[in-house]
Amino acid sequence: MLPTTSVSSRSQGNGALSPRDAARHTAGAKRYKYLRRLFHFRQMDFEFALWQMLYLFTSPQRVYRNFHYRKQTKDQWARDDPAFLVLLSIWLCVSTVGFGFVLDMGFFETIKLLLWVVFIDCVGVGLLIATLMWFISNKYLVKQQNRDYDVEWGYAFDVHLNAFYPLLVILHFIQLFFINYVIISDSVIGYFVGNTLWLIAIGYYIYVTFLGYSALPFLKNTAILLYPFALLIMFYLISLACGWNFTKMLCSFYKYRVK
């Protein structure tokens, strides 16, 4: 049985946390530890972070199984090692430079695109989604009998990063090989290939997000996180019927943003 953490399980005989345990389990203490390790590359486990990135494509359940192990050994669901975030940032920079090259952008335009993708697409949207999911899960998905448990905001952000990585690889790497010669051409095959890649990428995001919250034993009704699949497929079919080319629209938007 996987151990979980509650107020009573970490308490002293009188029902209160010891000062030492209370300080160690505060969100501020965990955040400080995480940020401190961000500047110590030798303390990061990049090999394990690469393993996670690989299995987010092949078997994302195994990645979340490791979050269970972290809860057992370190008493927190969220990552305490920023290696995954560092590697994701590198992927983001490399893929964005590739995007700028494919779209024939200049040096400064590519830098502007990079700043936009990092601080808006990844961090800004990520903070918004993580906060929204953190609120929804704690407000509506926590089992009634387990009110002493809650979803850590850091874990909600980790779930976003896990789901964002496959989306990034599909849309900012795999798609690059098809943009100029297939996707942005004014043909049926162009928007079919492009929109299908968007369908797969966003579908991955929804599925990996669902796995992240369903892995928490104190949440209920997490299957509702799969409901957006129906809207996604419907929107995909409508886009094919109307001839909308999402990738072409994205490229036009990026070029507009860097002017």
Side-chain angles (χ1 to χ4, degrees):
M1 179 182 295
L2 292 170
T4 53
T5 304
S6 67
V7 173
S8 60
S9 66
R10 298 195 305 266
S11 64
Q12 297 175 315
N14 59 2
L17 286 172
S18 68
R20 182 176 181 179
D21 285 342
R24 184 169 61 89
H25 288 96
T26 62
K30 294 176 181 178
R31 183 168 58 249
Y32 172 76
K33 181 181 178 182
Y34 184 89
L35 294 175
R36 185 182 61 184
R37 293 189 66 179
L38 190 60
F39 299 98
H40 296 83
F41 284 88
R42 292 184 179 180
Q43 297 181 9
M44 299 184 200
D45 191 349
F46 290 106
E47 183 178 352
F48 181 65
L50 286 171
W51 175 89
Q52 290 182 316
M53 288 182 165
L54 173 64
Y55 277 98
L56 281 172
F57 277 101
T58 60
S59 182
Q61 298 91 336
R62 295 186 63 176
V63 176
Y64 287 113
R65 201 174 303 150
N66 172 260
F67 281 77
H68 279 286
Y69 300 152
R70 182 180 300 107
K71 181 62 175 177
Q72 289 178 313
T73 58
K74 299 182 179 181
D75 195 26
Q76 68 179 61
W77 290 99
R79 289 186 177 97
D80 62 340
D81 185 351
F84 187 91
L85 178 61
V86 172
L87 291 181
L88 179 63
S89 300
I90 294 174
W91 256 107
L92 201 58
C93 293
V94 172
S95 63
T96 303
V97 170
F99 220 105
F101 177 78
V102 169
L103 297 182
D104 196 27
M105 294 182 178
F107 175 78
F108 291 106
E109 291 176 333
T110 302
I111 295 299
K112 290 180 182 178
L113 176 63
L114 177 61
L115 294 175
W116 176 272
V117 171
V118 170
F119 292 104
I120 303 298
D121 291 354
C122 182
V123 177
V125 174
L127 293 175
L128 179 62
I129 293 177
T131 303
L132 180 63
M133 292 302 300
W134 169 77
F135 173 78
I136 291 175
S137 58
N138 282 317
K139 183 73 173 178
Y140 302 106
L141 301 183
V142 174
K143 295 178 181 177
Q144 197 70 30
Q145 65 270 25
N146 285 327
R147 283 302 177 183
D148 287 337
Y149 299 79
D150 66 337
V151 179
E152 303 168 8
W153 186 91
Y155 180 80
F157 190 67
D158 278 340
V159 171
H160 165 72
L161 294 181
N162 290 342
F164 182 78
Y165 173 69
L167 182 147
L168 171 68
V169 173
I170 294 171
L171 296 182
H172 271 230
F173 180 70
I174 296 176
Q175 188 173 224
L176 293 182
F177 298 98
F178 303 96
I179 287 182
N180 285 335
Y181 302 104
V182 179
I183 296 178
I184 62 174
S185 62
D186 295 323
S187 64
V188 175
I189 190 66
Y191 61 77
F192 173 77
V193 172
N195 291 5
T196 300
L197 288 175
W198 277 85
L199 174 69
I200 296 172
I202 298 177
Y204 248 116
Y205 187 94
I206 295 173
Y207 178 62
V208 174
T209 298
F210 158 74
L211 290 178
Y213 290 95
S214 64
L216 300 178
F218 52 87
L219 295 186
K220 63 179 180 179
N221 301 328
T222 53
I224 64 174
L225 300 179
L226 292 175
Y227 288 0
F229 263 120
L231 292 175
L232 176 63
I233 294 175
M234 182 176 66
F235 198 64
Y236 169 73
L237 295 176
I238 292 175
S239 71
L240 295 182
C242 297
W244 297 337
N245 191 323
F246 296 143
T247 302
K248 196 170 185 179
M249 293 168 58
L250 176 69
C251 293
S252 299
F253 174 75
Y254 276 164
K255 287 183 177 180
Y256 169 78
R257 291 305 309 174
V258 301
K259 286 183 179 179

